[in-house]
Amino acid sequence: ADYQPFLMTIRVVSPDGKPLRGAVLDWWQADGDGKYYFSEYTLRGRVSTDDDGVAEVLTVAPGEYHALGGMRTGHFHVHIYAPRSTKGEVTYEGMTTQVYVKERNDKTILDKDP
C-alpha cells in the first residue's frame, strides 16, 4: 500500500462565520488500502478546535474501497460536536459529514461514488 501522509485541517464556524473554539471532531477513516479497523481505534480519534475554530490531524490519505455496489472514494467521516455552552452563549447542534479526498480536488471522482 502507498500510505501517503495527509494533514487534515478543518475549521468549524457558526452559521454567521464566527470561529467555534472547543468543538470536538470525532473522525474515522479507512487506511491507504481502503480497509477500516472496526474492532479497534486505529485511524480513529477526537480532537478539539482552537481559538480560531481550527483542528488539525496528521494521518494517512484514506484509500478507495468497494461498497454499496460501487467504488467509494477515499474520505474521512467526521462527527462534529458543538462546543459546550456557557451561560448566555448560543448553542449549536452537532453534525455528521464526510470529507472526500482526491488529488487536485478532482470532483469527477464523486460521479462514481454510490
Side-chain angles (χ1 to χ4, degrees):
D2 186 17
Y3 294 108
Q4 296 294 318
F6 190 92
L7 179 62
M8 180 177 75
T9 303
I10 294 179
R11 185 165 188 247
V12 180
V13 298
S14 68
D16 63 357
K18 177 184 170 189
L20 293 180
R21 178 181 54 86
V24 175
L25 284 71
D26 180 0
W27 89 94
W28 60 101
Q29 69 177 87
D31 65 17
D33 291 327
K35 180 179 176 188
Y36 282 92
Y37 297 86
F38 293 113
S39 62
E40 48 194 82
Y41 279 90
T42 301
L43 297 175
R44 181 168 186 158
R46 288 186 174 189
V47 63
S48 297
T49 57
D50 64 14
D51 289 342
D52 295 320
V54 175
E56 292 185 334
V57 175
L58 181 60
T59 185
V60 298
E64 297 178 334
Y65 62 92
H66 291 281
L68 305 171
M71 181 64 91
R72 297 289 328 261
T73 301
H75 57 277
F76 299 103
H77 299 272
V78 182
H79 182 91
I80 302 171
Y81 295 92
R84 292 188 175 158
S85 66
T86 58
K87 189 174 183 178
E89 286 186 343
V90 176
T91 59
Y92 302 97
E93 293 185 29
M95 67 173 284
T96 302
T97 189
Q98 295 179 41
V99 179
Y100 289 85
V101 178
K102 194 61 184 168
E103 285 187 46
R104 295 178 296 283
N105 292 322
D106 179 6
K107 294 178 188 175
T108 61
I109 192 67
L110 296 178
D111 293 341
K112 66 179 185 176
D113 193 277

